Amino acid sequence: GNTATITQTYAADPSGFPFTGNNQATINQNTTAAGGGNTAEIRQGLAGGSQGYSKGNTATMSQQGSFNEGRLQQTGDLNVATMNQTGNYNILRDGSGTAGSFALQQGTSNTLTLNQTSPGGAGLVGNIANVSQIGNGNGSVITQTTN
């Protein structure tokens, strides 16, 4: 039941400087021991959710175990998100964590890669990926497998 949060946001610069970015955020949970029920949250971009002031950010999350929650919000251009969840009942959603919300990449030419792998078993439910990309030239690859 651990929670890890990384927030890299910027208020709009009143002097008109239009660019911040190239930040890197990484969260790894349960990589060497069994566990679950963790929350990993990464937010990158302009404070308030406007686009255009943050570019080239990288978000990486890795969670092993069951009942984990990944949360993502990237606002701006040329951002990259890579997430891996291994276990049952894991979910990816928005940075707010609101039920039914979607992980968000808002801007241009953002990419998202998500791998969710469930070991399966009798009566086990798979994983959930809620993803929204708003803008032009965005791409995502979502792979959900059961072993």
Side-chain angles (χ1 to χ4, degrees), residues 61 63 82-87 90 92 112-118 127 141-145:
M61 284 184 219
Q63 296 176 307
T82 304
M83 282 147 250
N84 294 292
Q85 293 178 312
T86 303
N90 293 316
L92 175 63
L112 179 137
T113 303
L114 170 64
N115 294 300
Q116 290 178 320
T117 303
S118 171
N127 298 307
V141 175
I142 298 171
T143 304
Q144 295 175 309
T145 57

Side-chain angles (χ1 to χ4, degrees), residues 8 10 13 33 39 41-42 48 54 56 58 61-62 80 86-87 91 98 102 109 113 122 124 132 134-135 140 143-144:
Q8 296 171 319
Y10 306 91
D13 188 334
T39 301
E41 177 181 326
I42 297 177
S54 187
T58 301
M61 284 184 219
S62 178
V80 176
T86 303
I91 187 167
T98 304
F102 289 76
S109 299
T113 303
L124 295 177
S132 176
I134 301 170
S140 61
T143 304
Q144 295 175 309

